[in-house]
Amino acid sequence: MADPHIRSPMDFWDYLTVILYRLGFCVATIMVGLIPFYPEIAQYGLLVAGTMLASSLHLYLKSIRLAFQFVIWLGLLCQIFGFAEVALGAVFAVIAGLCYKEYFCFRIIGLNFQPILLPLLWLSLLFNWQELSHILALICSLLLLLLSIQKWRMPLHFDIGDKQKYQI
């Protein structure tokens, strides 16, 4: 996780990846809210959001960065090979994990419960529990909205931190 008090010089790729990461949360916010109503469209949007998030993640620990990227790759492959439910689970795992990570930055109440809420949303969609999926989608989407707002309120360099601490 980045150190906000350190301002490393940023190049084009730093700006691009920070913006893509933050936009990934915005896309996820919209698509999680839409998933009970337009599941197929929302699923593709969530795959895009998950890819934006995992590919643009700034974490010092290489193993954790790669774990998020591996999960989204598995999700994309599952979608290609017709395992849409597993693909959605993979995307929710990435988003839930990153929400948990961001909880330690922003302390948004409820954000640390996304690793529980998103799997419950996945199950409710899987078993066609419509009322529950509507409620969970609303809660998860609102939490993602709060996170997106908080992310965009801070300077871009906060996401980068000290470049010397990154494991390559």
Side-chain angles (χ1 to χ4, degrees):
M1 197 171 330
D3 297 322
H5 61 279
I6 294 175
R7 188 178 184 126
S8 292
M10 291 178 60
D11 61 16
F12 169 79
W13 296 108
D14 294 327
Y15 285 107
L16 179 65
T17 55
V18 169
I19 290 168
L20 283 174
Y21 181 74
R22 293 178 181 192
L23 283 174
F25 280 119
C26 295
V27 173
T29 299
I30 295 165
M31 295 303 148
V32 167
L34 288 178
I35 196 134
F37 309 104
Y38 304 102
E40 194 169 306
I41 294 169
Q43 177 148 350
Y44 285 112
L46 283 166
L47 286 164
V48 169
T51 303
M52 292 169 75
L53 290 164
S55 68
S56 304
L57 182 58
H58 295 98
L59 281 174
Y60 294 147
L61 294 175
K62 181 180 179 179
S63 59
I64 297 187
R65 274 195 327 264
L66 291 176
F68 281 113
Q69 293 168 353
F70 180 75
V71 170
I72 199 64
W73 272 109
L74 283 177
L76 290 168
L77 288 172
C78 286
Q79 183 70 34
I80 289 168
F81 291 112
F83 300 104
E85 295 85 5
V86 179
L88 184 61
V91 172
F92 280 169
V94 168
I95 295 170
L98 293 176
C99 283
Y100 189 72
K101 169 201 133 2
E102 295 293 348
Y103 169 76
F104 294 102
C105 297
F106 298 109
R107 300 291 183 192
I108 296 171
I109 296 172
L111 195 59
N112 56 330
F113 293 113
Q114 287 286 56
I116 297 168
L117 296 172
L118 284 167
L120 287 175
L121 175 58
W122 180 71
L123 287 173
S124 70
L125 293 166
L126 203 61
F127 293 113
N128 203 22
W129 299 331
Q130 290 183 351
E131 294 84 15
L132 184 59
S133 67
H134 287 84
I135 293 167
L136 289 169
L138 176 65
I139 293 168
C140 291
S141 190
L142 286 174
L143 288 171
L144 284 165
L145 177 63
L146 291 173
L147 173 59
S148 297
I149 291 168
Q150 288 294 89
K151 288 296 285 182
W152 283 105
R153 287 180 58 201
M154 64 186 221
L156 295 177
H157 76 272
F158 279 24
D159 281 18
I160 300 293
D162 187 354
K163 287 185 176 182
Q164 295 176 348
K165 290 185 179 179
Y166 283 95
Q167 295 176 351
I168 306 255

